[in-house]
Amino acid sequence: MDPYYSLPDVSNSDLSWLKQQLQPRDMPDPTNAYRFGSLIDAMITEPLRVNYFNRTLDDDQFPVEEFKLAEDMKRAFWNDDFCRLIASGADGQKVMRTREAFDYNGFEFHLCVRCKWDLWHESWGWGGDIKSTACETQKQFEEAARYFDYDRQRAWYMMIANSRRDVLLGISKKNLKIFRINITRDSSFFKDGFAKYNELAFKHYLMFGEYKANA
């Protein structure tokens, strides 16, 4: 298991867990999507973890059709001018940890927080995230991004890095199109994400203090 997940700091995933406890809703089982997404991420950001002869990510083997789709999606990513630009020279799977101050309606508190970037450009001072998606249009991807709280995720990462910009990149499993959501601190995507994480961070602090629930 990646030692990142054993860190005691609060992550965006911890906020997702808390939201599901407090406001349960029907969601697709994320196990297969996460597994496949991890393969795509590794092909692009950590290629040494992928064995193309055995069709494995670390020790996890994938069926022929699934692995081939991941390869096609990787090629679509590298064929896109912007994707190629941001990925070239970026740090892949960059971990950041800090103790962050929050203010929820005048109530001030701190959390020890963390995130792991798919792509982080130190020279740019910002980065982005890669998502595999079943969406077939830009509009569908933007709607899905809000439904799955990707706005909260990106605002959380921007807060930890103190970055002014960010980008969310989607690769379609259906038609291999690339979708892009450019984010600034003035955009509604960031502002909505900020409101989401700030409320959940407040509730997390009240219930568990400065560290994640099972720290």
Side-chain angles (χ1 to χ4, degrees), residues 171-189:
I171 313 173
S172 174
K173 294 184 282 190
K174 300 293 186 179
N175 56 21
L176 301 181
K177 287 185 177 180
I178 302 294
F179 309 119
R180 188 168 99 207
I181 299 177
N182 297 311
I183 308 160
T184 69
R185 297 219 169 201
D186 293 325
S187 66
S188 63
F189 198 82

Side-chain angles (χ1 to χ4, degrees), residues 46-139:
E46 297 180 293
L48 293 181
R49 294 176 59 199
V50 182
N51 184 314
Y52 285 83
F53 181 77
N54 292 327
R55 305 189 312 278
T56 56
L57 169 61
D58 299 329
D59 296 323
D60 188 10
Q61 187 173 53
F62 289 78
V64 173
E65 298 80 5
E66 202 169 13
F67 196 87
K68 181 182 181 303
L69 175 59
E71 288 186 282
D72 291 342
M73 293 169 70
K74 179 195 74 171
R75 279 191 289 270
F77 178 93
W78 286 110
N79 284 335
D80 180 89
D81 289 341
F82 179 80
C83 291
R84 193 164 57 250
L85 175 66
I86 190 172
S88 299
D91 293 326
Q93 306 304 317
K94 169 80 171 179
V95 174
M96 292 186 183
R97 305 173 68 191
T98 187
R99 184 172 183 263
E100 192 72 26
F102 294 81
D103 184 325
Y104 182 74
N105 294 337
F107 181 87
E108 298 179 0
F109 60 100
H110 289 81
L111 288 180
C112 293
V113 296
R114 63 183 161 99
C115 67
K116 183 191 252 190
W117 294 81
D118 282 345
L119 301 167
W120 172 258
H121 249 285
E122 189 65 37
S123 61
W124 296 3
W126 59 280
D129 199 63
I130 303 166
K131 301 291 187 189
S132 60
T133 178
C135 296
E136 298 183 59
T137 67
Q138 177 73 24
K139 183 174 184 293

Side-chain angles (χ1 to χ4, degrees), residues 11-53:
S11 69
N12 178 66
S13 296
D14 295 316
L15 298 186
S16 294
W17 170 84
L18 179 59
K19 179 182 176 181
Q20 188 64 18
Q21 305 310 304
L22 298 175
Q23 302 170 323
R25 62 172 177 170
D26 289 334
M27 295 286 283
D29 185 344
T31 305
N32 287 334
Y34 178 80
R35 179 172 174 264
F36 184 75
S38 296
L39 176 61
I40 299 291
D41 287 350
M43 282 184 171
I44 295 169
T45 68
E46 297 180 293
L48 293 181
R49 294 176 59 199
V50 182
N51 184 314
Y52 285 83
F53 181 77

Side-chain angles (χ1 to χ4, degrees), residues 153-166:
Q153 180 204 45
R154 303 322 307 149
W156 181 260
Y157 279 48
M158 291 172 71
M159 174 265 294
I160 292 174
N162 195 27
S163 56
R164 306 298 303 176
R165 294 184 61 186
D166 194 81

